[in-house]
Amino acid sequence: MVPTALQSIALMTQWTEFDAGAERMAIELARRLKLPLTVIVPLFSNPEFEVVAHDLVADAEAATAHGVADFKARVQAVGVTAEIRVRRGDELWREVVEEARTEQVGLIVTRRRGHRGFLGKLKVGEMVRQIAAHAPCPLMMVPREAKVPSHGILVAIDAESNLEPAIASAATLASALGLTLEVLVAPSAQTPEVGGWAEQARSIARRAGLKVEVTVGHEHLVDAVASRQSAGRADLLVLGIEPSAARHGKLGDAVEAIVGGSACATLLVHTQPRPSL
């Protein structure tokens, strides 16, 4: 397995304060990798809403137009080409996933949290969670203050998972951005001994043609990642989403706990093979 070039990047944004980190990340990745950027702007709309809330619809359309103009100016200033797609519907996550699937996007970049209020207390916003669970490609979830990775990538996965999709996606970004690559294999309740799985991780990484450090964790995934992050220099996490969680629109308890507590961006990759980076 050799890392393949990343061909396309899509940013999901609604121009909120929570989107600032994702917007910076997507622009900088597009600039560094010399890739065009697709911007997906989901906008709530249905016939009944348009009739009974005409003023709200008009305000949303005006805010969207302002956001589009401002964003175009920002990307032009740094030499990035952006195509902006406004998708209207009453299930916004479906609009984002369908646009990404139609355009055969290689990477989706989103914010981590949603709006203020009850849902704003969640570690991951509900719409973003659904996009990640159903995305046809890897998705990078970016906290508001996160920066573009410049040191290293940490792939963290438990021994029950299919290691290859996550390591392959991480290897692609490590190669493109000149980052170090570390794989952390943590035990699970079903597989407390991870020695064989660690050797499998080394084999996958060697086939990727990159120098890699493989660490065998002695704690379960959440604690193992916390320990490794405090000791290392990785500024991008890569985690796997299990099919059993994704089918129910979830990320998994461990994954969500890690994503919600991380100050850096997290790349989420479906462990069931899908189109990769």
Side-chain angles (χ1 to χ4, degrees):
M1 179 185 67
V2 177
T4 56
L6 177 59
Q7 299 294 328
S8 57
I9 300 173
L11 164 69
M12 188 289 291
T13 184
Q14 293 178 303
W15 322 119
T16 74
E17 60 181 307
F18 296 106
D19 292 297
E23 291 171 7
R24 286 195 310 271
M25 180 74 74
I27 292 170
E28 184 61 14
L29 286 176
R31 187 188 71 81
R32 289 192 188 183
L33 301 179
K34 296 180 171 56
L35 293 174
L37 180 61
T38 298
V39 183
I40 307 171
V41 185
L43 192 62
F44 183 82
S45 177
N46 63 37
E48 181 180 1
F49 180 71
E50 291 178 7
V51 170
V52 302
H54 183 269
D55 289 346
L56 291 177
V57 172
D59 289 346
E61 293 284 354
T64 298
H66 176 77
V68 167
D70 178 70
F71 191 84
K72 284 183 175 179
R74 288 166 57 194
V75 297
Q76 288 172 358
V78 295
V80 171
T81 301
E83 183 171 355
I84 299 179
R85 309 284 181 85
V86 178
R87 295 276 307 210
R88 296 169 176 82
D90 55 7
E91 287 191 289
L92 300 185
W93 70 265
R94 291 187 187 275
E95 297 300 325
V96 176
V97 169
E98 182 58 31
E99 185 68 30
R101 182 175 289 115
T102 299
E103 295 301 313
Q104 298 182 322
V105 166
L107 171 67
I108 301 172
V109 181
T110 74
R111 64 182 180 239
R112 182 173 68 189
R113 291 184 59 185
H115 296 290
R116 294 187 184 279
F118 174 73
L119 292 179
K121 297 177 183 178
L122 300 175
K123 292 180 178 179
V124 176
E126 180 59 24
M127 180 176 71
V128 174
R129 179 190 291 108
Q130 294 301 321
I131 296 170
H134 297 284
C137 62
L139 178 143
M140 185 181 293
M141 203 173 287
V142 185
R144 192 170 14 177
E145 303 301 328
K147 298 180 181 179
V148 177
S150 58
H151 300 303
I153 298 176
L154 173 63
V155 181
I157 198 160
D158 66 46
E160 286 298 304
S161 301
N162 177 8
L163 307 181
E164 188 144 357
I167 295 176
S169 293
T172 297
L173 282 178
S175 178
L177 296 173
L179 305 176
T180 61
L181 179 61
E182 178 183 356
V183 178
L184 169 66
V185 184
S188 68
Q190 292 75 26
T191 310
E193 298 298 327
V194 298
W197 292 79
E199 183 51 43
Q200 180 186 352
R202 291 187 184 94
S203 176
I204 295 169
R206 282 196 295 266
R207 283 186 277 130
L210 292 174
K211 184 178 180 181
V212 64
E213 177 184 350
V214 178
T215 301
V216 176
H218 300 292
E219 306 164 293
H220 291 304
L221 196 63
V222 176
D223 294 331
V225 171
S227 298
R228 197 61 201 160
Q229 278 196 294
S230 65
R233 285 164 51 87
D235 48 7
L236 175 64
L237 288 176
V238 179
L239 303 173
I241 303 175
E242 293 300 317
S244 58
R247 281 194 296 270
H248 296 93
K250 300 180 183 298
L251 307 181
D253 291 343
V255 170
E256 188 148 339
I258 294 169
V259 172
S262 176
C264 69
T266 306
L267 184 70
L268 300 176
V269 182
H270 286 263
T271 58
Q272 179 175 314
R274 294 181 175 214
S276 61
L277 289 176

